[in-house]
Amino acid sequence: LQIGRSTESPIDFVVTDTVPGSQSNSDTQSVQSTISRFACRIICERNPPFTARIYAAGFDSSKNIFLGEKAAKWKTSDGQMDGLTTNGVLVMHPRNGFTEDSKPGVWREISVCGNVFSLRETRSAQQRGKMV
């Protein structure tokens, strides 16, 4: 499943920001989105063990990874390219799991290769957080 703010055909689920106090879409037109055009891809196994993985960035119509020009990018120690979307793909796993007693957990950022990092100093910083 491809998720992002773009309405282009590769996107399966279009997501938009909400602005506190806005009454209609016209109230939000001048606000810059914090959601990337091609934010992330979620891949779920349909057979046991039913794993789900999330990858930052999108895939264009040629199925190539697409990152904006301002996105942080780097080469890993094994020579692969990895990176973060301009606005980041953030996930949080609640403490105590998904139960009535759940408490907010620590926010993390997901890279193009599916690696997990601590948050950057700012959401659009060029320097990635520490790998978790």
Side-chain angles (χ1 to χ4, degrees):
L1 304 169
Q2 182 70 47
I3 300 168
R5 78 167 191 265
S6 173
T7 56
E8 294 177 37
S9 61
I11 301 294
D12 299 304
F13 292 100
V14 177
V15 291
T16 58
D17 283 325
T18 56
V19 178
S22 65
Q23 300 297 314
S24 68
N25 281 349
S26 62
D27 293 345
T28 64
Q29 295 301 316
S30 63
V31 177
Q32 185 160 357
S33 180
T34 60
I35 299 167
S36 296
R37 290 181 301 135
F38 298 95
C40 66
R41 178 166 277 195
I42 299 173
I43 299 176
C44 300
E45 296 290 333
R46 295 177 184 250
N47 298 309
F50 305 111
T51 56
R53 295 203 38 97
I54 184 170
Y55 301 89
F59 296 82
D60 63 18
S61 56
S62 301
K63 298 189 179 178
N64 291 315
I65 288 177
F66 179 84
L67 281 175
E69 63 184 52
K70 295 180 183 177
K73 303 170 191 80
W74 63 91
K75 193 174 269 195
T76 63
S77 58
D78 63 352
Q80 279 192 318
M81 288 302 296
D82 202 357
L84 303 169
T85 62
T86 304
N87 295 312
V89 173
L90 308 181
V91 297
M92 184 263 296
H93 191 276
R95 289 182 283 141
N96 302 325
F98 293 92
T99 68
E100 291 178 6
D101 301 322
S102 293
K103 302 285 185 220
V106 177
W107 284 97
R108 303 289 188 204
E109 186 167 14
I110 306 300
S111 75
V112 169
C113 291
N115 294 311
V116 182
F117 293 88
S118 62
L119 297 184
R120 292 180 268 180
E121 191 170 309
T122 63
R123 285 188 60 193
S124 59
Q126 290 294 305
Q127 186 64 36
R128 67 182 184 264
K130 292 185 180 182
M131 186 181 248
V132 177

